């Protein structure tokens, strides 16, 4: 590979030919201010904040658009550059409202950051500022503030180059230039979460997150988006530790922009907007019951089943973690000759199918790959199994993620099957009508409330991390399975964490052999099924 | 177009004959469009090297109604202005203009007679550049309207002494820092107007606005 060697602020650096000065500087830890530049988008060179001095060039030049050349001598921090950067920043702020106290961007705003770093502390501008539209809704998820916009066109380029939906453009010119949509319509391209993320200032903001929280109260948790089989790496930003209605999702890798929009839109809405499920049994008339009592009852039924008391049917879910799926299978094995499957629909056939040229895949579940890899696929899918139960009955029907059955069109089949089964256990995060058909409802947490691993479309095993404590009286599926296995006298170590479960599982699953939970790299590891 | 128009003459008379026209470094002829306070405004083809005053007096009919010359913009609104004094010994060629710190630019010569308000003409120019800014890059989008408002404040009588330094401050932030030369085109005349006619800006300050009669000028 051809390389060039140049000097930046006295440091020598060798980079591949074609690298821009701003990127070359980054490799040696020199952070040049930028607004319009984004490594995932084409270069616009319009904000002029990244000016640097290149020796032998008469004018300062924008480092985002200047390609590093052999022998180049660059200064990013000398007096001339500082003066120019301050000038650009002051000009940028002349027509900026500086309404930071009510701006959601405050705390992670590049205008604030660079102002503190290089800015002037008193503006020379004394005239009335140019007024533009504020508080503009761009349905369904965005809020726009034309006065805060610095016209960097990142958003325009994102819609042109990434989603190719061309939603945004520039109208007017000069000081009246604005970002707008055609005929003021909204922006709904499936990646709007990324739009407010790439906007370097508080011009494009999330409607859901609006006025919820000052960002400095948020704590980032590395996680994986559960909304499709791509499994984009995200941060779940949470505050208050316990419960957070202001949690949000953010992309984790800066170069893979365009990810995790759904999670970014609302981390909390990964499940239907009904009340959370509560643990209960049929006899308790819907009143929540103590976990121990319920689990003892279930364990008793499992033991009975193991003693040959008829047929056991278990239906898993591609929303569970690998550890949970593995333990579920173990649980059903312990219960004797059980039928088990995870195929709730045909999504498992679309796990690798792309939905667009950006990131989304047609399989809207996070772990179909994991379920298949861990051997949860039987000979019949969920619908067939339920119909069989209707025909021939079962002593025990064990259904995970029952709150998904309504949307999947499986609620009636589940109800009919439940009517014919001797004993019905359902796990659910949220309440729904179909739970009434269960003998026992075990409340489980949502994806942001548990640890574990998920396996994406390319069999990449990645970590999910608990960001918030469960908001309702729930136990993780993992905890429930370990407890039931222990009560049923199965040979299972006293697992209490996802880490222990993973390591125990990895020792038994050839595809995972050699892997440890703690040793999983930042972006997971691709395994061979 | 101008270059193409020279071709038939060169074909007929030969390159050598064409090269003999003009000065050693600025050969041939150029089209100049002269406007403002002259008796015969229009477009003229002139041999490079002709003294500016010869052009104004002998070809463009001299300054209107016998007024004294005040200033000349020699090459379009974006180049530094020349005072009447500077005009006396400047010629229409690249070197001569460069010596005076200005340019032939587009060849659009604007003549201003005594009685023209320099501040007001700069206000008109900066308003033009502010209006012409496409708004793409920060220094020009934000700088050109700021310059216009500053210059206008001298006309309106709302400026204060430090605003002359502020104009220079804004010019420094803009000059050379933009995508295209439009910002420079606004800065160059601004700087030269203030440098060469500072007294007139100060006079505006003292007078609390423009001391000249309203339009039309002269
Ligand atoms: S975008 Fe918001 S936080 Fe940033 S400077 Fe403007 S008002 Fe303040
Ligand atoms: S809305 Fe944001 S991303 Fe778009 S041009 Fe304005 S500042 Fe840039
Ligand atoms: S300098 Fe050129 S590109 Fe930049 S805003 Fe002005 S006219 Fe547009
Ligand atoms: S980051 Fe280089 S011009 Fe905007």
């Amino acid at each position: 590979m051809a390389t060039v060697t140049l000097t930046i602020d006295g440091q020598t650096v060798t980079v591949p030919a074609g690298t821009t000065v701003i990127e070359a500087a980054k490799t040696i830890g020199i952070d040049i201010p930028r607004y319009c530049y984004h490594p995932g988008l084409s270069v616009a060179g319009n904000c002029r904040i990244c000016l640097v001095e290149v020796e032998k060039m008469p004018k300062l030049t924008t480092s985002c658009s200047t390609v590093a050349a052999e022998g180049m001598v660059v200064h990013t921090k000398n007096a001339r550059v500082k003066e120019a950067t301050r000038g650009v920043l002051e000009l940028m702020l002349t027509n900026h409202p500086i309404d930071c106290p009510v701006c959601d961007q405050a705390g992670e705003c590049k205008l604030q950051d660079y102002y503190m770093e290089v800015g002037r502390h008193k503006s020379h501008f004394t005239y009335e500022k140019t007024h533009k539209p504020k508080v503009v809704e761009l349905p369904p998820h965005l809020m726009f503030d034309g006065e805060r916009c610095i016209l960097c066109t990142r958003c325009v380029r994102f819609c042109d180059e990434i989603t190719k939906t061309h939603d945004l453009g520039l109208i007017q010119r000069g000081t009246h230039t604005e970002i707008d949509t055609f005929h003021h319509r909204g922006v709904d391209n499936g990646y709007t979460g990324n739009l407010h993320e790439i906007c370097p200032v508080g011009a494009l903001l999330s409607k859901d997150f609006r006025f919820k929280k000052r960002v400095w109260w948020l704590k980032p948790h590395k996680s994986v988006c559960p909304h499709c089989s791509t499994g984009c790496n995200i941060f779940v930003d949470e505050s208050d530790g316990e419960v957070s209605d202001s949690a949000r999702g953010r992309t984790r890798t800066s170069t893979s922009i365009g990810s995790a929009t759904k999670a970014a839109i609302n981390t909390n809405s990964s499940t239907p907007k009904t009340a959370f499920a509560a643990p209960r049994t049929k006899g308790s008339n819907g009143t929540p019951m103590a976990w121990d009592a319920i689990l003892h009852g279930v364990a008793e039924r499992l033991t009975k089943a193991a003693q040959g008391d008829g047929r056991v049917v278990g239906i898993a879910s591609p929303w569970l973690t690998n550890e949970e799926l593995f333990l579920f299978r173990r649980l059903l094995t312990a219960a004797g000759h059980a039928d088990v499957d995870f195929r709730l629909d045909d999504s498992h056939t679309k796990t690798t199918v792309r939905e667009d040229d950006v990131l989304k895949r047609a399989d809207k579940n996070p772990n179909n790959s994991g379920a298949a890899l861990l051997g949860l696929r039987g000979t019949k899918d969920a619908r067939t199994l339920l119909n069989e139960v209707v025909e021939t009955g079962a002593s025990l029907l064990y259904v995970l993620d029952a709150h998904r059955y309504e949307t999947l069109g499986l609620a009636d089949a589940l109800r009919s099957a439940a009517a014919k089964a001797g004993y019905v256990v359902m796990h659910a995060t949220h309440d729904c009508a179909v739970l009434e058909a269960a003998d026992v409802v075990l409340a489980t947490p949502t994806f942001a409330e548990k640890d574990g691993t998920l396996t994406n479309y390319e069999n990449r095993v990645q970590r999910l991390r608990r960001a918030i404590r469960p908001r309702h009286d729930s136990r993780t599926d993992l905890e429930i399975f370990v407890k039931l296995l222990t009560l049923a006298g199965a040979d299972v170590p006293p697992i209490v964490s996802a880490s222990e479960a993973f390591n125990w599982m990895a020792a038994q699953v050839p595809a995972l052999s050699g892997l440890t939970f703690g040793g999983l790299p930042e972006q997971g590891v691709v395994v061979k099924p | 177009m101008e270059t193409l128009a020279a071709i038939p003459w060169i074909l007929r008379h030969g390159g050598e004959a064409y090269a003999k026209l003009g000065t050693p470094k600025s050969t041939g002829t150029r089209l100049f469009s002269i406007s403002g306070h002259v008796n015969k405004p229009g477009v003229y083809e002139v041999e490079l090297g002709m003294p500016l005053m010869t052009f104004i007096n002998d070809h463009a009919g001299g300054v209107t109604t016998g007024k004294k010359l005040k200033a000349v913009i020699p090459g379009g609104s974006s180049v530094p202005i020349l005072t009447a004094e500077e005009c006396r010994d400047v010629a229409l060629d690249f070197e001569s203009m460069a010596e005076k710190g200005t340019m032939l630019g587009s060849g659009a010569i604007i003549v201003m007679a005594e009685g023209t308000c320099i501040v007001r003409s700069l206000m008109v120019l900066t308003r033009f550049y502010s209006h012409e800014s496409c708004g793409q890059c920060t220094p020009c989008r934000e700088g050109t309207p700021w310059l216009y408002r500053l210059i206008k404040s001298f006309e309106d009588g709302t400026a204060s002494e430090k605003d002359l330094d502020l104009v220079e401050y804004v010019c420094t932030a803009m000059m050379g820092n933009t995508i295209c030369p439009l910002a420079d085109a606004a800065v160059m005349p601004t700087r030269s107007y203030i440098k060469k006619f500072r007294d007139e800006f100060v006079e505006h300050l003292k007078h609390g606005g423009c001391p000249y009669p309203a339009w039309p000028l002269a």
Side-chain angles (χ1 to χ4, degrees), chain A residues 11-326:
Chain A
Q11 290 186 60
T12 308
V13 57
T14 303
V15 290
T19 309
T20 52
V21 171
I22 204 168
E23 286 296 336
K26 200 166 149 194
T27 63
I28 47 172
I30 297 172
D31 193 18
I32 299 174
R34 78 274 314 262
Y35 289 115
C36 65
Y37 175 71
H38 191 292
L41 301 171
S42 65
V43 171
N46 59 32
C47 75
R48 318 305 284 178
I49 198 78
C50 70
L51 289 169
V52 294
E53 181 179 322
V54 175
E55 284 185 12
K56 298 202 183 90
M57 279 173 80
K59 287 193 201 177
L60 299 181
T61 179
T62 43
S63 56
C64 67
S65 60
T66 306
V67 174
E70 188 62 40
M72 219 179 215
V73 182
V74 181
H75 302 279
T76 77
K77 292 190 176 58
N78 67 15
R80 189 175 165 212
V81 172
K82 272 198 180 143
E83 185 61 28
T85 316
R86 276 154 56 128
V88 170
L89 199 60
E90 172 157 8
L91 283 164
M92 195 169 266
L93 288 169
T94 53
N95 280 306
H96 193 86
I98 321 192
D99 44 4
C100 314
V102 291
C103 178
D104 281 334
Q105 191 80 8
E108 54 183 12
C109 173
K110 291 274 180 210
L111 270 177
Q112 290 183 322
D113 292 354
Y114 298 145
Y115 180 77
M116 296 312 285
E117 219 174 289
V118 296
R120 305 220 164 237
H121 289 267
K122 194 170 176 332
S123 174
H124 294 85
F125 189 82
T126 49
Y127 303 108
E128 176 77 11
K129 297 186 183 222
T130 310
H131 291 291
K132 293 184 191 173
K134 281 177 88 72
V135 201
V136 180
E137 277 201 47
L138 294 175
H141 301 297
L142 295 173
M143 291 300 295
F144 175 69
D145 187 317
E147 295 188 345
R148 290 184 196 147
C149 172
I150 57 164
L151 298 163
C152 70
T153 71
R154 273 187 181 191
C155 56
V156 176
R157 283 172 284 144
F158 181 86
C159 294
D160 285 349
E161 298 162 17
I162 307 292
T163 60
K164 302 193 176 71
T165 44
H166 313 285
D167 309 271
L168 294 163
L170 294 159
I171 58 161
Q172 308 285 15
R173 68 175 191 183
T175 187
H176 304 289
T177 314
E178 277 172 37
I179 295 288
D180 205 350
T181 56
F182 186 65
H183 278 224
H184 311 299
R185 61 187 175 203
V187 179
D188 192 10
N189 58 26
Y191 293 89
T192 46
N194 300 115
L195 274 173
H196 62 74
E197 228 186 289
I198 60 161
C199 178
V201 299
L204 280 173
L205 292 168
S206 151
K207 213 168 110 191
D208 287 335
F209 189 66
R210 192 155 186 258
F211 301 149
K212 287 266 171 64
K213 235 347 161 227
R214 305 285 15 189
V215 297
W216 51 86
W217 299 117
L218 295 177
K219 200 169 145 223
H221 298 266
K222 291 173 186 169
S223 194
V224 173
C225 173
H227 291 281
C228 89
S229 57
T230 304
C232 291
N233 291 187
I234 60 164
F235 283 110
V236 175
D237 292 337
E238 144 281 332
S239 69
D240 300 344
E242 302 266 331
V243 169
S244 180
D245 288 329
S246 51
R248 62 168 186 182
R250 242 180 338 123
T251 48
R252 181 132 63 94
T253 43
S254 70
T255 43
S256 74
I257 59 168
S259 69
T261 303
K262 263 198 170 172
I265 285 166
N266 190 350
T267 308
N268 290 313
S269 67
S270 61
T271 34
K273 280 202 164 55
T274 58
F276 289 114
R280 57 178 188 258
T281 65
K282 213 170 214 165
S284 68
N285 273 334
T287 17
M289 278 181 62
W291 277 92
D292 265 5
I294 302 184
L295 291 177
H296 270 101
V298 178
E300 228 166 78
R301 286 296 187 144
L302 282 164
T303 320
K304 259 200 201 158
Q307 286 154 4
D309 177 29
R311 186 172 180 212
V312 177
V313 172
I315 305 176
S317 152
W319 274 74
L320 263 58
T321 65
N322 289 324
E323 299 72 28
E324 292 164 345
L325 289 166
F326 186 74

Side-chain angles (χ1 to χ4, degrees), chain B residues 14-92:
Chain B
E16 234 167 86
Y18 188 78
K20 277 202 192 109
L21 293 172
T23 69
K25 281 186 183 152
S26 310
T27 52
T29 64
R30 264 202 88 174
L31 295 175
F32 289 96
S33 88
I34 185 162
S35 64
H37 306 137
V38 285
N39 286 315
K40 293 199 290 182
V43 180
Y44 297 81
E45 184 174 4
V46 173
E47 183 180 351
L48 285 168
M50 177 187 286
L52 175 62
M53 292 316 294
T54 309
F55 177 49
I56 293 176
N57 291 326
D58 299 358
H59 299 275
V63 179
T64 340
T65 55
K67 288 217 175 212
K68 269 172 69 188
L69 182 67
K70 181 169 186 176
V72 172
I73 299 174
S77 69
S78 64
V79 306
I81 196 167
L82 291 174
T83 60
E85 179 63 26
E86 288 172 310
C87 290
R88 286 206 326 209
D89 58 345
V90 75
L92 293 171

Side-chain angles (χ1 to χ4, degrees), chain A residues 45-46 48 174 177, chain B residues 129 132-142 144 174 177-184:
Chain A
N46 59 32
R48 318 305 284 178
T177 314
Chain B
Y129 284 110
E132 286 305 305
S133 168
C134 81
Q136 190 183 184
C137 60
T138 314
C140 171
R141 179 181 66 239
E142 310 296 344
T144 49
M174 293 167 67
N177 292 340
T178 52
I179 295 179
C180 85
L182 191 125
D184 295 3

